[in-house]
């Protein structure tokens, strides 16, 4: 009876602490109260742990990255807009708007100590995969993120799926035909089928064990902590590379609008592309400082509208503005086919968010239908844009078809500005999962420091600028991402995890289909990565 009473008290303190952490800590008194509650919670939870070892085990289920699920939920959030910034002690000048100490609610002290102080990779290869407890996720509260969307309808889930798939890869599909020829569109069909299939496999993996919610969870359940760490790192690298592509895309489109822009200062000469790359970075930097990303998450949902608008502008220029369609091109170019494969692979790599869409659905059983509808829509969009764009501009097609659209037409201006504004809403959302995963590794004192958190985010933003200035080749960088990262994330890892988690329960046909997808993914990854790196090295040299 004593232990039961203690456990109930602990639950009550837990609820009070959760409410306190949501509010801003605006005064020293409030901060002291929060600390007092936290200390009481530690003592109570410690007593409860002594009487119930299983609770302690569940608290230690989630290693790094703990923030992955909530940070990726931003891509499926339709939370009403709200703006606030990271805040530190009152400063003068530019940072005077940062008025109070930056605080971020942390996981329970027991969870943080038990997960981050342990080795990320188990030293004992015989250790069985860690099973994740769903109750543990409810204890994680990451400030600055929209609340996770629950009970999404079928139509909302489809919109989320389309928003993830119809991204910047749409701009490069006409260039992909130029590189690979008309018959390369067969790979657009193949990758659509394969990626949709592996998306369904992720659903089966999530259902194979209770508590699995994210892609890294699946990797951990299948291959232990090494699997979780490996998948998480590849996903974060892909997000980082996408941020680099955003900078390149914004600078290219702005340079097409203002081609005569340049800066010469102290012997340093910057061309229009470099000027607008720096300008774009300075514009997106404050969005990374935002503490509450609800507004950006809300606006990024307009990615579907932006993709449709740009496609309609392309069609308008071809038909109404009488640019016309001029059949040209080769049937198949094996020499450059690897670039096409990488671009098409990039266009369908939304698997990092698929588990989040599944977990938020009111009817999870309809997730395969969501994927089918989303992939069909994306395939129609990509195919239509690829065919129209290449017929309009032929072999002169640029890496982004918006760069070929005559600037004197209104439709062209709308398309270009859409491709400038759209990344502004997505850059911070894409980079935030990376920043929060890094912040998890910081000591508690540094994590509570406004200046440290701000410095990390600023350094990451300028590092993407440095990469974008070093390799300002939009299509080649996309082909490299698609060949290396997308093949691993969208084709190889889902099949490998599926075979491991459901071994002994699969038919020979399912095993054969997974082996086929893995084989195709490995071949495309090896050939495409080598080709992209070679071309990239040649461009830089």
């Amino acid at each position: 009876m004593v232990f039961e009473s203690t456990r109930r008290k602990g639950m009550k303190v837990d609820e009070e602490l959760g409410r306190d952490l949501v509010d801003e800590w605006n005064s020293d008194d409030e901060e002291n109260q929060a600390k007092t509650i936290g200390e009481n919670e530690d003592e109570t939870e410690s007593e409860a742990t002594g009487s119930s070892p299983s609770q302690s085990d569940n608290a230690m289920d989630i290693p790094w990255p703990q923030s992955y699920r909530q940070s990726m939920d931003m891509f499926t959030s339709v939370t009403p807009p709200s703006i606030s910034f990271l805040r530190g002690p009152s400063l003068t000048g530019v940072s005077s708007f940062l008025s109070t100490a930056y605080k971020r609610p942390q996981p329970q002290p027991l969870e943080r100590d038990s997960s981050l102080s342990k080795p990320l990779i188990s030293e004992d290869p015989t250790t069985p995969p860690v099973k994740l407890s769903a109750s543990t996720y409810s204890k994680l509260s990451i400030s600055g993120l929209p609340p996770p969307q629950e009970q999404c309808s079928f139509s909302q889930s489809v919109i989320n799926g389309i928003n993830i798939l119809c991204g910047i890869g749409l701009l490069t599909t006409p260039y992909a035909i130029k590189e690979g020829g008309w018959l390369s569109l067969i790979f657009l069909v193949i990758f659509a089928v394969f990626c949709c299939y592996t998306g369904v496999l992720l659903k089966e993996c999530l259902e194979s064990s209770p508590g699995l919610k994210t892609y890294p969870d699946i990797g951990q359940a299948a291959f232990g902590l090494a699997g979780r760490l490996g998948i998480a790192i590849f996903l974060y690298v892909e997000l980082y590379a996408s941020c680099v592509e955003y900078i390149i895309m914004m600078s290219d489109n702005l340079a097409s609008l203002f081609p005569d822009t340049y800066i010469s200062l102290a012997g340093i000469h910057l061309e229009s592309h470099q000027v607008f790359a720096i300008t774009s970075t300075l514009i997106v930097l404050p969005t990374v400082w935002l503490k509450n990303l609800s507004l950006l998450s809300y606006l990024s949902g307009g990615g579907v509208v932006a993709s449709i608008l740009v496609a309609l502008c392309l069609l308008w220029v071809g038909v109404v503005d009488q640019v016309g369609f001029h059949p040209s091109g080769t049937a198949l170019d094996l020499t450059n086919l690897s670039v096409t494969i990488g671009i098409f692979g990039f266009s369908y790599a939304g698997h990092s968010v698929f588990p989040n869409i599944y977990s938020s659905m009111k009817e999870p059983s309809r997730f395969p239908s969501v994927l089918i509808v989303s992939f069909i829509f994306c395939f129609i969009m990509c195919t239509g844009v690829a065919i129209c764009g290449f017929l309009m501009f032929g072999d002169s097609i640029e890496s982004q078809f918006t760069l070929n659209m005559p600037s004197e037409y209104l439709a062209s201006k709308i398309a270009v500005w859409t491709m400038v504004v759209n990344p502004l809403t997505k850059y911070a959302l894409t980079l935030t999962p990376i920043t929060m995963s890094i912040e998890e590794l910081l000591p508690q004192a540094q994590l509570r420091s406004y200046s440290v958190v701000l410095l990390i985010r600023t350094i990451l933003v300028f590092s993407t600028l440095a990469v974008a200035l070093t390799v300002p080749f939009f299509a080649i960088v996309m082909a490299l991402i698609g060949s290396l990262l997308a093949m691993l994330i969208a084709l190889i890892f889902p099949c490998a995890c599926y075979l491991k988690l459901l071994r002994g329960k699969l038919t020979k046909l399912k095993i054969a289909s997974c082996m086929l997808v893995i084989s195709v993914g490995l071949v495309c990854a090896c050939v495409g990565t080598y080709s992209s790196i070679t071309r990239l090295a040649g461009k830089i040299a």
Side-chain angles (χ1 to χ4, degrees):
M1 295 296 294
V2 174
F3 290 136
E4 179 65 17
S5 175
T6 302
R7 187 181 67 82
R8 290 178 179 175
K9 290 180 181 179
M11 293 175 61
K12 181 178 180 182
V13 173
D14 232 359
E15 294 174 358
E16 294 175 356
L17 180 61
R19 290 192 296 268
D20 290 339
L21 288 176
V22 173
D23 300 327
E24 292 288 342
W25 295 341
N26 293 323
S27 67
D28 293 337
D29 292 338
E30 292 176 347
E31 185 173 1
N32 292 334
Q33 291 177 4
K35 290 180 179 179
T36 302
I37 294 174
E39 291 172 359
N40 293 337
E41 177 200 8
D42 292 344
E43 295 173 0
T44 307
E45 193 169 27
S46 178
E47 295 175 8
T49 303
S51 61
S52 179
S54 61
Q55 293 179 9
S56 176
D57 293 340
N58 287 341
M60 293 189 292
D61 281 340
I62 304 181
W64 182 90
Q66 295 178 348
S67 60
Y68 183 85
R69 183 187 178 189
Q70 285 186 308
S71 62
M72 296 306 291
D73 274 341
M74 292 184 297
F75 294 95
T76 61
S77 177
V78 289
T79 308
S82 175
I83 301 180
S84 60
F85 284 83
L86 295 179
R87 290 179 281 189
S90 180
L91 301 174
T92 59
V94 174
S95 58
S96 61
F97 66 91
L98 306 173
S99 58
T100 61
Y102 169 67
K103 302 288 182 183
R104 195 181 78 187
Q106 298 303 312
Q108 302 282 350
L110 180 60
E111 289 181 17
R112 181 178 176 85
D113 294 340
S114 60
S115 61
L116 298 183
S117 61
K118 284 186 172 183
L120 295 180
I121 301 179
S122 176
E123 297 178 358
D124 183 4
T126 63
T127 301
V130 180
K131 300 301 181 184
L132 304 180
S133 170
S135 63
T136 310
Y137 283 98
S138 63
K139 298 179 182 179
L140 297 178
S141 177
I142 309 299
S143 176
L145 302 181
Q149 294 297 297
E150 300 294 344
Q151 303 298 307
C152 287
S153 66
F154 178 83
S155 58
Q156 288 173 323
S157 300
V158 169
I159 292 175
N160 286 331
I162 293 174
N163 190 44
I164 295 302
L165 293 174
C166 282
I168 58 178
L170 185 69
L171 297 178
T172 319
T173 50
Y175 180 84
I177 293 182
K178 170 193 172 183
E179 293 293 312
W182 287 104
L183 291 179
S184 65
L185 287 173
I186 295 174
F187 287 94
L188 194 61
V189 179
I190 294 174
F191 286 137
V193 174
F194 280 10
C195 290
C196 185
Y197 175 68
T198 54
V200 176
L201 294 187
L202 289 179
K203 168 186 174 292
E204 299 293 331
C205 292
L206 290 171
E207 295 175 345
S208 67
S209 180
L212 301 184
K213 298 294 182 182
T214 66
Y215 205 157
D217 293 349
I218 295 173
Q220 180 176 353
F223 301 106
L225 295 180
R228 182 183 185 88
L229 178 62
I231 288 178
I233 289 176
F234 277 112
L235 291 173
Y236 287 140
V237 172
E238 183 188 36
L239 292 175
Y240 182 87
S242 296
C243 290
V244 173
E245 286 285 76
Y246 288 147
I247 297 295
I248 298 175
M249 181 171 67
M250 287 187 288
S251 63
D252 285 347
N253 282 278
L254 285 172
S256 70
L257 290 173
F258 310 102
D260 297 329
T261 302
Y262 69 92
I263 293 178
S264 294
L265 182 64
I268 300 176
H269 183 78
L270 299 178
E271 301 292 344
S272 60
H273 171 83
Q274 297 168 319
V275 171
F276 287 115
I278 297 172
T279 303
S280 300
T281 303
L282 295 176
I283 292 174
V284 299
L285 182 59
T287 67
V288 179
W289 294 342
L290 284 171
K291 184 178 181 181
N292 191 317
L293 298 177
S294 295
L295 175 62
L296 294 181
S297 181
Y298 184 79
L299 294 177
S300 70
V304 179
V305 177
S307 299
I308 295 175
L309 178 60
V310 171
L312 290 178
C313 287
L314 176 67
L315 187 62
W316 183 280
V317 169
V319 177
V320 179
D321 292 331
Q322 298 182 350
V323 171
F325 302 94
H326 318 285
S328 61
T330 60
L332 185 65
D333 187 351
L334 293 176
T335 305
N336 300 313
L337 184 61
S338 58
V339 175
T340 301
I341 290 174
I343 293 173
F344 287 161
F346 179 91
S347 301
Y348 291 123
H351 292 62
S352 58
V353 189
F354 286 166
N356 298 67
I357 296 176
Y358 168 80
S359 299
S360 67
M361 288 187 64
K362 184 185 303 181
E363 301 176 88
S365 60
R366 303 186 68 184
F367 180 71
S369 300
V370 169
L371 287 183
I372 292 172
V373 174
S374 300
F375 273 95
I376 289 176
F377 183 90
C378 182
F379 171 76
I380 293 174
M381 286 285 293
C382 290
T383 304
V385 168
I387 293 174
C388 289
F390 189 68
L391 286 178
M392 288 171 60
F393 305 113
D395 290 334
S396 64
I397 189 73
E398 298 284 349
S399 60
Q400 304 163 62
F401 68 78
T402 52
L403 304 180
N404 289 94
M405 299 174 71
S407 58
E408 64 268 20
Y409 298 132
L410 176 62
S412 300
K413 290 182 172 63
I414 293 175
V416 172
W417 279 111
T418 300
M419 288 299 99
V420 171
V421 174
N422 194 39
L424 295 179
T425 65
K426 291 188 174 183
Y427 184 94
L429 296 178
T430 306
L431 192 68
T432 294
I434 306 173
T435 62
M436 303 201 77
S437 67
I438 294 175
E439 290 165 16
E440 282 184 46
L441 303 177
L442 295 177
Q444 185 76 11
Q446 292 184 7
L447 185 58
R448 290 178 177 271
S449 170
Y450 148 77
S451 57
V452 171
V453 173
L454 192 64
L455 180 62
I456 289 175
R457 299 188 179 198
T458 303
I459 290 175
L460 277 174
V461 170
F462 280 105
S463 70
T464 61
L465 170 63
V467 176
L469 291 175
T470 304
V471 286
F473 313 110
F474 186 81
I476 300 178
V477 173
M478 180 177 291
L480 178 60
I481 299 171
S483 298
L484 177 59
L485 301 174
M487 294 301 166
L488 288 171
I489 294 170
L491 297 184
I492 299 174
F493 286 161
C495 291
C497 293
Y498 180 73
L499 291 175
K500 182 66 182 295
L501 289 175
L502 283 84
R503 62 186 183 279
K505 303 178 182 179
L506 304 177
T507 63
K508 292 183 179 179
L509 178 60
K510 290 184 178 180
I511 295 175
S513 61
C514 286
M515 295 306 297
L516 173 62
V517 174
I518 290 176
S519 300
V520 172
L522 286 174
V523 172
C524 292
C526 294
V527 176
T529 301
Y530 174 79
S531 175
S532 299
I533 291 177
T534 302
R535 294 185 64 163
L536 203 57
K539 288 279 189 180
I540 296 175

